[in-house]
Amino acid sequence: MKYYVVLLSVLIERTWSTNDAPQQLKFPPWFKFGAATAAHQIEGAWNVSDKTPSVWDVFSHEKPSRIGDGSNGDVACDSYHLWREDIEMVTHLGLHFYRFSISWPRLLPSGFPDRISSAGRRYYSELIDGLLAAGVEPVVTVYHWDLPQSLQDLGGWTNPLVVDWFADYARVVFSLFADRVKTWITINEPLVFCDGAYTMGVYAPGVLSPDIGKYLCNRHALLAHAKAWRIYDQEFRDRYRGKISLANTITWYEPADGETDDVAEIVRQYGGGIFSHPIFSKKGGWPPVIAKMIAENSRRQGYPKSRLPPFTEKEIKFIRGTYDFYALNYYTSRVVRRARPGETIDAWPFFGAPELNVSLTVRPEWKKAPPSWFYINPVGIRHQIRWLKEQYGDVEVLIAENGYASHDPTAHDMDRVQFYKDHLEQVLLSIYEDGVNVTGFTAWSLMDNYEWMDGYVPKFGLFAVDFNDQRTRSPRTSASYYAAIIREHALIEPPEYLSVTQNATNTNTSYNSLILSFVLIVYFIK
Ligand code: GAL
């Protein structure tokens, strides 16, 4: 008995005592850590060999003022030439996997599979082989926003034929690399490339059509994903035993004080449900609350039918169930309230607010990161993961992106260290307290890179890249911190971090010591 009491006391002493802190700091044995990049953001070599321009090449070249610093992805991190250095960074961190994307116009210069570029094929093949030789699993995104411009000229994501174009491209990718790649993401974040382009005009191809183009793009992206998933399922899965899904970025939305949760819920359904309900729900199709709302808005605006193009019964079945896991990208949160009569609602920086007639703000306690849209709310990732489980059941969740941007190019990035620590803590709570099957975490990003319309100003990297020089990569403090977490397979506190939180930790420790003393005294008096 005595031993049990002492053991209990030691346990109390050794675990965290606040309600918010996870009782377990170890990640489950199967949990994997990775980092991510995307082709257009790192490769450069925009016109090398037979690569043709993507929508992002054209968007940034035509009007440099569209990009915050007037830059483009012509050279970016020059990963097309420096991929061996990328693998060195990956091994330095001890990553279990590295998520990167394939550039459609690099592999298929015409956009179609009439001819596969031998240079493009060699590049990705060598990268994959290099990762495998280093003991790192390649996780491949088939499409991360760099549509061939030739297909954009034919209507891009608003043309229903894009579903077949994408499926043909995906089949080529699988036939070249599925022997070595076991985890696939078909499409990254349709919310951003559809809404960013068509609702706001700030992402390539920058075609403003919030009422119509956005929903055509949404619909075709879902069908394209489903078709690629089914091709993998039917033609490749038996041989290669991989898994495949799409990645969604979801902002966590919570009601403003005094608002009811249903206001926030409709925004959740719009931001996350549109791209999840058709695939992950039992019934499939658009989220009913969204279909109803857009139909009513359309009628009020004088459209003869809903601007949200419906799925046929056949399409609903075709899309439903096309997943092997949920790939979640999480960065930020918003507070939602109903718009006041006559209030002007801005689509920036969060898509869909005018359609929903809501105002989106933030809580004063959420710290601001430099990009305009970025407010930090670590607990949002836990709420979001729990919401997915409530909505779609016990699906495996892979955090496919999470990371912090500053404008500070230097190496000592304690803000990023803090960001990862706080978010990984919430991931542990999702696993141990909420019982969600979260199987991996992907840091965005392996290195500083071309951050779309913000150019090279935001720095997201665990490694800094010198864009004025030979694209030299150097590890930041966060790289050592992340490497240590991976090594220990546990959430740890690096020495520098301890000095920042010494007081908080001391409070917990002394509180635990008090409980410990109390337990021991009671026992020995008895
Ligand atoms: C994601 C996107 C990445 C990266 C990141 C940081 O939405 O997939 O490419 O840009 O945001 O903003």
Side-chain angles (χ1 to χ4, degrees), residues 41 144-145 188-189 192 249 329 331 373 401 444 451-452 460:
Q41 295 180 274
H144 201 124
W145 310 355
N188 183 66
E189 301 182 351
V192 178
T249 184
N329 299 352
Y331 289 92
W373 50 270
E401 280 182 32
W444 184 274
E451 176 54 17
W452 310 110
F460 268 98

